[in-house]
């Protein structure tokens, strides 16, 4: 973003002091901006006072040289909207993401914080169209603000509440010929509203979902869950891009700390700008004195008050999760001993005993060839971890039965093979294909077929040990992993137990009895195969042998093919 302000032209219009404060606060209270013709300080601005519009232009000029990337600008816009809602008039103006989309018309939004000039002098924001059913809103926005910041503001307003399953914002940027200090932005918001009743129903089903339990969702509920998943993936992509940019900025700034005093000042400004937007804390550890120095953001990350907590190394380690303390202490020791970069993720306890995830990166500083201290940064990755957990659940487990899917099965099989090779153990693999499932599905419909698959999954899990894995790999096909199985006879015995269990009729309230069976192929590592692919292949072949002898049978592969 680059804005030039002609000196011969007197800018008309005024800007709200509250808006200027929000702009600075969105960069997390940067107290003073880099040197320029106009120096603006947050403590010199009164929220209820109107200031010359030129102050907004000069502030944006200064921010352009401070904020290092479009992703960081985007998150600054999100921060601005949150501050406007939590500390400004937002709570009296909007109660939902949909309210926010309607509020950005000529009577609200940008038009409520600038005044006194013609539209072509101070800009505007107009809602040109909105279709809630189609999930589409379009705005004509003429402003001096950078496009990525505006995109963050619109996105931030939509995710403040829990009434949208999905939202994304696209901005088309074009010059505004009538005034070169402004840009004309066409803002397109695509969204999908959430039904409270449906959301409660899906959330209730997810809350009780555990590995091995059954999950049944309607088509509408499944569609809702898919849109949530799409929204989570998009949010994760934004978070990942921001964290990557923040790390790059911090790495560059840390490198420049080793140079001249002027370069040190420039690096400090970049670190503070990046840290402010993403709530990134700065810290220093004096290893000789065992003393830690924290900035104000670090106390915020740990949920602590600077008055109530005296930062020492021992005090800090007591906050760490017990399962992470030894590892993190060892990682710090290695970094200090070898002079390498310290990089670690760990859990901490807040005073209310809630668990938060922290990422810390630091550089070792030496004096006279001896490592004496560390300079580092920390930031909260709790939300990223939560999203990753939800994505893992959707990526690794079958939606219908709650069983591991093919992807998780293959991962577990690879790990089991590596362990079995070291420990000289056997692994049994059963390939299970249901007999006469398709006629049931065709005659009674998919809802009965889905219920039957869930019941099959439940019965199969009741036939195996807690250390075994039952996975659904597609349709009516299942695979069972038997780690550390004694011999082929034991694996065959488990297969027979499953076959007999599935042979018994399935009774569904109000319906006729459903009768199916299973053809099961058995293969053993290392007797029949040496790799995961071979083991699956031979068990699959054995399953077809069971089919060929009349179904409802167990067959063992005889020789490698």
């Amino acid at each position: 973003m680059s804005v030039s302000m002609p000196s011969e032209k007197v800018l008309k219009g005024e800007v709200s002091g509250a808006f200027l404060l929000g702009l600075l606060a969105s960069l997390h209270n940067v107290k003073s901006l880099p040197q320029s013709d106009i120096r603006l300080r947050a403590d010199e601005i009164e929220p209820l006072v109107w200031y010359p519009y030129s102050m907004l232009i000069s502030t944006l000029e200064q921010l352009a040289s401070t904020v290092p990337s479009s992703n960081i600008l985007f998150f600054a816009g999100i921060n601005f909207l949150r501050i406007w809602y939590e500390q400004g008039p937002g709570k009296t103006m909007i109660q939902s993401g949909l309210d926010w989309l309607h509020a950005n018309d000529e009577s609200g939004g940008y038009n409520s914080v600038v005044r006194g000039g013609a539209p072509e002098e101070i800009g505007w924001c107009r809602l040109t169209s909105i279709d809630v059913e189609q999930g589409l809103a379009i705005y004509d926005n003429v402003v001096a603000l950078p496009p990525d910041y505006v995109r963050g503001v619109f996105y931030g307003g939509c995710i403040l509440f829990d009434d949208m399953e999905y939202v994304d914002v696209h901005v088309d940027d074009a010059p505004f010929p009538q005034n070169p200090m402004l840009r004309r932005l066409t803002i397109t918001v695509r969204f999908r509203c959430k039904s409270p009743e449906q959301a409660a129903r899906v959330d209730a089903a997810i809350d009780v979902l555990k590995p091995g339990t059954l999950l049944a969702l309607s088509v509408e509920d499944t569609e809702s869950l898919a849109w949530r998943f799409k929204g989570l993936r998009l949010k994760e992509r934004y978070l990942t891009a921001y964290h990557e940019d923040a790390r790059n900025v911090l790495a560059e700034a840390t490198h420049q700390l080793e140079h001249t005093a002027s370069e040190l000042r420039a690096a400090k400004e970049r670190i503070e700008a990046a840290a402010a937007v993403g709530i990134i804390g700065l810290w220093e550890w004096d290893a000789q004195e065992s003393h830690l120095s924290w900035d104000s953001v670090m106390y915020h990350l740990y949920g602590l008050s600077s008055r109530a907590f005296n930062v020492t190394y021992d005090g800090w380690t007591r906050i760490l999760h017990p399962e992470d303390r030894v590892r993190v202490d060892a990682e710090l020791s290695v970094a200090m001993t070898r002079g390498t970069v310290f990089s670690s993720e760990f859990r901490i306890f807040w005073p209310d005993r809630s668990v938060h995830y922290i990422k810390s990166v630091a550089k070792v500083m030496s004096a006279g060839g001896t490592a004496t201290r560390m300079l580092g940064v920390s930031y909260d990755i709790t939300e990223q971890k939560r999203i990753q957990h939800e994505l893992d659940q959707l990526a690794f487990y079958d939606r219908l039965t709650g069983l591991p899917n093919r992807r998780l099965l293959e991962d577990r099989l690879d790990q089991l093979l590596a362990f079995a090779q070291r420990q000289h153990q056997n692994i049994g693999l059963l390939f299970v294909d249901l007999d006469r499932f398709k006629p049931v599905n065709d005659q009674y419909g998919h809802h009965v077929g889905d219920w039957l698959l869930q019941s099959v999954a439940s019965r199969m899990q009741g036939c195996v040990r807690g250390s075994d894995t039952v996975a659904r790999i597609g349709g009516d096909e299942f695979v069972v992993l038997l780690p550390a199985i004694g011999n082929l006879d034991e694996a065959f015995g488990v297969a027979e137990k499953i076959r007999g269990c599935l042979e018994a009729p399935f009774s569904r309230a109000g319906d006729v009895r459903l009768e199916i069976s299973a053809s099961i192929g058995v293969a053993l590592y290392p007797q029949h195969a040496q790799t995961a692919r071979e083991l699956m292949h031979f068990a699959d072949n054995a399953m077809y042998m069971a089919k060929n002898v009349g179904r409802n049978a167990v067959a063992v592969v005889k020789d490698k093919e």
Side-chain angles (χ1 to χ4, degrees):
M1 175 190 68
S2 177
V3 180
S4 59
M5 188 171 66
S7 57
E8 68 275 7
K9 180 178 179 179
V10 177
L11 294 176
K12 297 180 181 179
E14 295 178 314
V15 59
S16 161
F19 181 73
L20 288 175
L21 280 173
L23 190 62
L24 296 180
S26 69
L27 293 159
H28 222 268
N29 296 322
V30 178
K31 292 185 178 179
S32 62
L33 299 169
Q35 293 290 341
S36 65
D37 293 337
I38 299 177
R39 186 179 180 87
L40 183 67
R41 295 178 59 89
D43 55 10
E44 296 174 349
I45 302 174
E46 295 293 335
L48 300 181
V49 175
W50 289 82
Y51 293 89
Y53 188 75
S54 58
M55 290 185 68
L56 173 62
I57 298 298
S58 62
T59 300
L60 293 174
E61 284 184 316
Q62 296 165 28
L63 292 180
S65 63
T66 304
V67 180
S69 81
S70 60
N71 290 317
I72 290 178
L73 266 177
F74 174 66
F75 270 83
I78 295 175
N79 280 347
F80 172 84
L81 203 284
R82 186 180 67 249
I83 292 166
W84 171 81
Y85 180 78
E86 294 176 352
Q87 303 176 21
K91 288 185 179 179
T92 64
M93 298 175 64
I94 61 173
Q95 303 299 321
S96 67
L98 202 56
D99 285 350
W100 167 245
L101 293 179
H102 284 288
N104 282 284
D105 204 354
E106 292 187 73
S107 60
Y110 179 77
N111 303 98
S112 67
V113 295
V114 294
R115 71 181 187 184
E120 63 271 12
E121 294 174 319
I122 61 174
W124 65 77
C125 182
R126 297 168 183 159
L127 174 61
T128 59
S129 67
I130 184 168
D131 187 328
V132 177
E133 187 70 25
Q134 295 296 319
L136 180 66
I138 300 175
Y139 302 84
D140 178 31
N141 195 196
V142 174
V143 289
L145 296 166
D148 288 297
Y149 190 91
V150 174
R151 187 167 65 93
V153 169
F154 273 83
Y155 184 81
C158 292
I159 65 173
L160 263 180
F161 306 92
D162 193 32
D163 64 324
M164 291 187 177
E165 294 176 334
Y166 171 82
V167 62
D168 195 17
V169 181
H170 178 76
V171 175
D172 290 314
D173 176 22
F176 185 60
Q178 295 93 320
N179 186 344
M181 288 178 292
L182 305 179
R183 304 291 297 178
R184 187 160 206 161
L185 310 179
T186 301
I187 301 164
T188 303
V189 182
R190 300 187 183 277
F191 61 95
R192 177 181 165 92
C193 291
K194 180 189 294 185
S195 162
E197 296 79 9
Q198 184 181 56
R201 188 168 60 248
V202 174
D203 288 343
I206 292 175
D207 286 342
V208 299
L209 180 63
K210 296 179 181 178
T213 60
L214 305 180
L215 176 65
L217 296 176
S218 66
V219 173
E220 293 78 11
D221 291 348
T222 302
E223 184 179 13
S224 172
L225 195 59
W227 277 105
R228 286 202 217 177
F229 178 58
K230 184 178 177 71
L232 282 171
R233 284 202 309 181
L234 182 64
K235 189 174 183 180
E236 184 198 31
R237 190 163 73 244
Y238 288 152
L239 283 168
T240 300
Y242 164 72
H243 287 144
E244 183 176 352
D245 280 4
R247 283 193 295 269
N248 290 339
V249 170
L250 293 167
E252 178 187 354
T254 302
H255 175 72
Q256 292 188 8
L257 284 171
E258 299 175 349
H259 296 292
T260 64
S262 61
E263 290 172 324
L264 282 171
R265 285 192 296 271
K268 183 173 182 292
E269 288 173 355
R270 281 192 291 273
I271 289 177
E272 288 178 344
V277 177
I279 316 180
I280 297 176
L282 308 178
W283 56 270
E284 180 178 351
W285 175 38
D286 185 332
Q288 294 179 327
E289 299 294 332
S290 190
H291 178 71
L292 284 167
S293 298
W294 283 3
D295 72 350
S296 60
V297 178
M298 285 294 294
Y299 288 97
H300 173 74
L301 291 177
Y302 281 74
L304 296 168
S305 165
S306 59
R307 296 178 180 178
F309 182 70
N310 183 23
V311 186
T312 63
Y313 184 83
D314 289 340
W316 171 71
T317 57
R318 285 194 292 271
I319 301 173
L320 299 183
H321 194 288
E323 295 176 3
D324 296 343
R325 286 175 190 164
V326 174
R327 172 181 58 82
V328 176
D329 184 67
E331 290 170 347
L332 279 164
S333 297
V334 169
M336 289 295 287
T337 302
R338 300 179 180 176
T340 54
V341 171
F342 167 71
S343 179
S344 183
E345 295 180 4
F346 49 85
R347 292 164 292 176
I348 62 170
F349 284 116
W350 272 29
D352 63 3
R353 304 307 292 170
S354 60
V355 177
H356 295 252
Y357 286 82
I358 299 293
K359 171 76 174 183
S360 279
V361 181
K363 181 178 178 62
V364 176
M365 310 302 289
S366 300
T370 302
T372 58
R373 59 196 178 101
M374 273 188 177
L375 295 177
V377 297
S378 295
Y379 52 95
D380 192 297
I381 57 171
T382 305
E383 178 70 3
Q384 190 177 16
K385 289 290 186 181
R386 184 189 66 79
I387 292 173
Q388 187 60 53
H389 175 73
E390 293 184 14
L391 291 173
D392 287 344
Q393 288 295 311
L394 292 170
F396 293 111
Y397 289 89
D398 175 52
R399 179 190 61 79
L400 179 65
T401 63
L403 296 177
N405 60 15
R406 179 184 288 271
R407 183 177 176 186
L408 183 54
L409 169 74
E410 292 174 347
D411 182 65
R412 287 187 181 177
L413 180 54
D414 287 339
Q415 294 183 39
L416 286 174
L417 284 171
F419 183 79
Q421 186 176 20
R422 293 193 301 270
Q423 301 297 321
H424 304 289
Q425 293 180 348
N426 296 325
I427 299 174
L429 190 145
L430 315 182
F431 203 111
V432 182
D433 187 89
L434 302 184
D435 304 323
R436 302 191 304 277
F437 173 76
K438 187 176 184 302
V440 172
N441 210 37
D442 292 342
Q443 180 177 355
Y444 296 103
H446 289 291
H447 66 290
V448 174
D450 288 349
W451 173 86
L452 183 56
L453 288 172
Q454 292 169 340
S455 301
V456 166
S458 180
R459 286 193 185 183
M460 289 179 64
Q461 287 183 301
C463 295
V464 299
R465 304 166 298 180
S467 58
D468 299 333
T469 295
V470 179
R472 181 186 178 213
I473 61 173
D476 57 357
E477 293 182 333
F478 298 80
V479 169
V480 181
L481 292 182
L482 306 172
I485 196 75
N487 52 45
L488 186 58
D489 288 340
E490 288 187 22
F492 188 89
V494 175
E496 270 294 335
K497 184 178 180 181
I498 292 173
R499 186 201 62 76
C501 191
L502 298 182
E503 183 183 30
F506 291 80
S507 297
R508 188 170 186 264
D511 291 329
V512 297
R513 295 198 316 170
L514 305 176
E515 295 186 359
I516 60 169
S517 59
S519 297
I520 305 176
V522 182
L524 198 69
Y525 167 88
Q527 181 173 333
H528 300 126
Q530 298 296 315
T531 67
R533 177 174 293 186
E534 287 180 345
L535 199 59
M536 289 281 287
H537 172 70
F538 291 134
D540 187 27
N541 283 354
M543 181 272 293
Y544 279 106
M545 291 168 55
K547 291 277 190 187
N548 292 335
V549 298
R551 305 176 188 272
N552 192 21
V554 176
V556 179
V557 63
K558 298 301 182 182
D559 300 300
K560 294 184 181 180
E561 298 179 354

